Amino acid sequence: MKRSPANHTSFRFSATAVDVPALQRELADPRCGGHAAFEGWVRNHNEGREVTHLEYEAFAELAVREGERIIAEACAKYGVDNVRCVHRVGDLALGEIAVWVGVSARHRDEAFKACRYIIDEVKHRVPIWKKEYYASGDSGWVNCERCATAPQHAHAHAHAHDHDHDHARAHAHAQPAALAPDYSRQTTLREVGTAGQVKLRAARIAVVGAGGLGVPVLQFLAGAGVGRLIIIDGDQLEPSNLHRQTWYALADCGQAKAELAAVRVRALNPEVAVEVHAQRLDALNAESLLANAELLIDCSDNFGTKFLLNDLAHALGLPAIFASVHKYEGQLQVVDPRRAGACLRCLWPEATRDGVVDNCAEAGVLGPVPGVLGSLQALEALKLLLDLPGRLGDEVLTVDLLGLGTTRIRARRRGDCAGRCMLAANALQKAKQQRRSEQAQGLPELHFDDLQMAVDAGYALIDIRDIKEIVVMPLPLPALAIPMHELLEGRNLPAEGRYLLVCTRGARSLSTTRALRERGLSAVFSLQGGALKLLKRRTGQ
């Protein structure tokens, strides 16, 4: 059932006492049978110190915009009908209501959950500060979201009237003030300052990939105090990752990288809200996963995801920061549709097939190389958020880490991309159609415990790896060796045959299978997991 949207004045500040009866009247709705409210009261102590009164201050323009966004999220997430949130500013005496949230919904469960979501997100994301005045005569400013760092499940019994307000969770995670994040080293910079830190706190960044590029990106953005990080990665950690993904430990292998990265972000900076998606980004789930983002950072290791993010950046009107690594070199590019600049498709109209250029697994890489490129991505993100000079424009930055040289290559926007990039729009539509087809029919890949089962099922084995790979890791059964590039360049297979393509990990064979199917060869499949998965199964790893 479709819900009516919340009133556009649903989040606001008040310099006078909160009028609860008036707010309740605003929420009254004959369609609704459930009403939940949260009241945060000023109490007389905090972490062992006697408090006499509080003073609240907010960055109003950013705060109202973020508050409205939170309420819109709650309405969409829980299907509630009416929401009001009022936060006090100015001087407050003991016992006064500092924040009030009210929700009316068709049922009580929706109202409770939405109310809890709103107060938690407000405390994490809205730029509000309170100054505590103590009986000793001391005083100090405290960023409110410090008090909302407890996991959401830790307070599942939240009461409708929680007298502790900002201090409610401070006891569960009581820490000396000195252990709170300190941004003084960057706010000392004239170009950053307090206003810049407020901008960072309000920022919402999606990082696609939590590996060699993603680790330094997440570290530096979390350390800088970016308000919300959306981490998207469908891979699990492997021992071979650790020489460049040094945030993780050997004992973490087998776990989802997105979840591991979220734990590290929270440990580094509890003030950062983390949204975790342990799944691969694709054309159908992307717009939903990126709905809360204002900046996209590509830390993936495949062309398919990079070009998909490029196309999504145009569709969503969001800037995106791309990096890629090959052996000892890397490239960096910023795509910003708002500036009508060049994008990936201005340089390469058609996305390069995954596997045509080897990734780190096939080509090899020294650990510091993606570390440097990821650090540059984080730097470009901070420059963009803080409006600092020297940002990359219509150019590609190439970095040679052996010779320690950099080159800026001019990237010109295509002449036929006036206004909207139609190449990106068409490619995104095509990707959605392909993904819908694969959802209905399944990916064109097959799982076999051993290759003899595939042969018995009538499949001809095609090994698409190069000769060096085949020598290092030979297949247990004879296979026809046809390098990937020959198939992509037009070498045909007999149309009446049934084929199973094999590469090392399954990514290149899947990409090649898709290309052959586009040419009309329907009875071709990819071996899921590739030769490496077969080897691990045979050796019991």
Side-chain angles (χ1 to χ4, degrees):
M1 182 179 295
K2 187 176 180 180
R3 300 289 197 254
S4 58
N7 187 289
H8 69 281
T9 58
S10 52
F11 182 93
R12 58 185 182 265
F13 290 101
S14 174
T16 59
V18 177
D19 188 345
V20 174
L23 289 167
Q24 290 174 334
R25 287 193 294 272
E26 289 183 33
L27 289 172
D29 189 331
R31 301 170 300 170
C32 298
H35 169 75
F38 170 90
E39 292 181 2
W41 300 354
V42 179
R43 69 180 187 183
N44 65 359
H45 66 282
N46 180 33
E47 297 182 357
R49 305 187 70 177
E50 184 179 353
V51 176
T52 59
H53 63 108
L54 299 180
E55 182 180 347
Y56 281 93
E57 185 175 309
F59 196 115
E61 182 179 356
L62 283 175
V64 170
R65 189 163 64 240
E66 189 66 13
E68 290 288 351
R69 186 178 290 113
I70 290 168
I71 287 174
E73 292 169 9
C75 291
K77 187 178 181 71
Y78 299 107
V80 298
D81 294 274
N82 301 289
V83 178
R84 296 294 183 275
C85 178
V86 177
H87 203 297
R88 284 290 308 277
V89 290
D91 196 82
L92 280 75
L94 298 178
E96 281 197 83
I97 295 176
V99 62
W100 190 90
V101 178
V103 177
S104 59
R106 308 298 170 91
H107 305 286
R108 64 179 183 275
D109 188 55
E110 298 168 351
F112 280 127
K113 289 178 178 178
C115 188
R116 175 57 191 272
Y117 177 84
I118 292 165
I119 189 59
D120 281 352
E121 293 299 304
V122 165
K123 290 301 158 189
H124 274 300
R125 295 161 51 181
V126 178
I128 303 172
W129 292 263
K130 72 170 181 284
K131 190 174 188 179
E132 295 179 327
Y133 291 86
Y134 306 111
S136 64
D138 294 336
S139 62
W141 287 100
V142 180
N143 201 342
C144 280
E145 68 268 4
R146 257 195 76 227
C147 307
T149 58
Q152 292 190 1
H153 65 268
H155 230 55
H157 62 282
H159 300 293
H161 301 284
D162 190 333
H163 293 225
D164 285 351
H165 179 40
D166 296 301
H167 313 296
R169 286 173 290 277
H171 286 299
H173 289 263
Q175 297 179 349
L179 293 182
D182 183 347
Y183 308 112
S184 60
R185 293 299 187 272
Q186 64 190 34
T187 55
T188 301
L189 293 168
R190 178 175 56 84
E191 297 85 356
V192 181
T194 302
Q197 195 61 48
V198 170
K199 291 180 181 178
L200 295 180
R201 189 67 192 124
R204 306 174 314 282
I205 301 178
V207 180
V208 182
L213 293 168
V215 163
V217 166
L218 291 166
Q219 284 178 316
F220 283 115
L221 294 183
V226 166
R228 174 171 288 257
L229 290 172
I230 303 162
I231 305 174
I232 305 170
D233 192 311
D235 289 341
Q236 295 180 332
L237 185 69
E238 298 179 4
S240 62
N241 300 148
L242 294 173
H243 84 293
R244 64 193 184 279
Q245 300 172 26
T246 55
W247 216 2
Y248 309 130
L250 191 60
D252 296 327
C253 289
Q255 299 184 52
K257 287 185 187 178
E259 299 287 355
L260 291 171
V263 171
R264 300 307 194 273
V265 167
R266 295 183 182 113
L268 175 61
N269 190 343
E271 291 185 349
V272 177
V274 186
E275 185 178 324
V276 183
H277 301 285
Q279 62 189 105
R280 187 183 178 93
L281 188 83
D282 65 40
L284 294 185
N285 65 23
E287 293 185 31
S288 172
L289 298 184
L290 303 175
N292 294 328
E294 62 178 304
L295 171 63
L296 313 178
I297 302 184
D298 161 59
C299 299
S300 66
D301 63 354
N302 64 87
F303 289 107
T305 300
K306 293 180 186 298
F307 277 81
L308 174 60
L309 278 171
N310 177 84
D311 302 339
L312 286 162
H314 283 281
L316 301 174
L318 300 177
I321 302 173
F322 295 89
S324 57
V325 171
H326 184 68
K327 296 184 178 180
Y328 307 102
E329 301 176 351
Q331 292 186 353
L332 186 71
Q333 184 176 0
V334 177
V335 172
D336 193 346
R338 302 170 304 180
R339 298 187 305 183
C343 74
L344 267 61
R345 293 193 183 275
C346 292
L347 303 176
W348 304 279
E350 292 294 328
T352 305
R353 290 278 180 184
D354 287 326
V356 172
V357 178
D358 292 339
N359 61 20
C360 293
E362 281 81 35
V365 65
L366 279 184
V369 176
V372 170
L373 270 295
S375 298
L376 290 174
Q377 284 184 286
L379 180 60
E380 285 299 313
L382 294 175
K383 285 158 66 175
L384 191 151
L385 294 171
L386 296 169
D387 197 23
L388 298 180
R391 297 183 316 200
L392 280 177
D394 287 348
E395 53 200 339
V396 177
L397 178 71
T398 65
V399 183
D400 172 9
L401 274 302
L402 280 183
L404 296 180
T406 61
T407 304
R408 290 180 181 238
I409 302 172
R410 179 71 172 170
R412 298 188 181 278
R413 185 174 173 86
R414 288 172 58 94
D416 55 354
C417 282
R420 184 184 182 199
C421 179
M422 294 310 299
L423 283 175
N426 294 337
L428 183 58
Q429 185 61 31
K430 180 180 177 181
K432 288 181 177 180
Q433 292 172 351
Q434 182 187 57
R435 189 71 188 105
R436 290 190 187 100
S437 174
E438 291 179 346
Q439 279 190 338
Q441 303 175 20
L443 285 174
E445 60 181 3
L446 299 174
H447 167 81
F448 289 104
D449 289 330
D450 63 69
L451 288 181
Q452 187 60 52
M453 296 173 61
V455 173
D456 294 343
Y459 290 97
L461 304 180
I462 308 293
D463 194 332
I464 69 168
R465 299 174 295 166
D466 62 40
I467 189 63
K468 292 181 180 179
E469 292 179 279
I470 294 174
V471 170
V472 171
M473 191 187 301
L475 296 179
L477 291 179
L480 179 61
I482 305 178
M484 176 182 181
H485 69 87
E486 291 188 16
L487 292 172
L488 295 180
E489 289 170 3
R491 179 167 174 176
N492 291 321
L493 297 172
E496 64 276 7
R498 301 176 70 196
Y499 305 100
L500 183 67
L501 273 52
V502 183
C503 68
T504 300
R505 296 172 178 269
R508 286 176 291 168
S509 56
L510 180 58
S511 175
T512 307
T513 296
R514 285 169 167 159
L516 294 177
R517 284 178 168 240
E518 289 175 7
R519 299 213 305 252
L521 198 64
S522 60
V524 58
F525 295 87
S526 167
L527 177 64
Q528 186 183 70
L532 185 60
K533 189 173 183 179
L534 287 175
L535 178 62
K536 288 181 177 180
R537 189 177 298 112
R538 286 162 50 203
T539 57
Q541 296 180 7

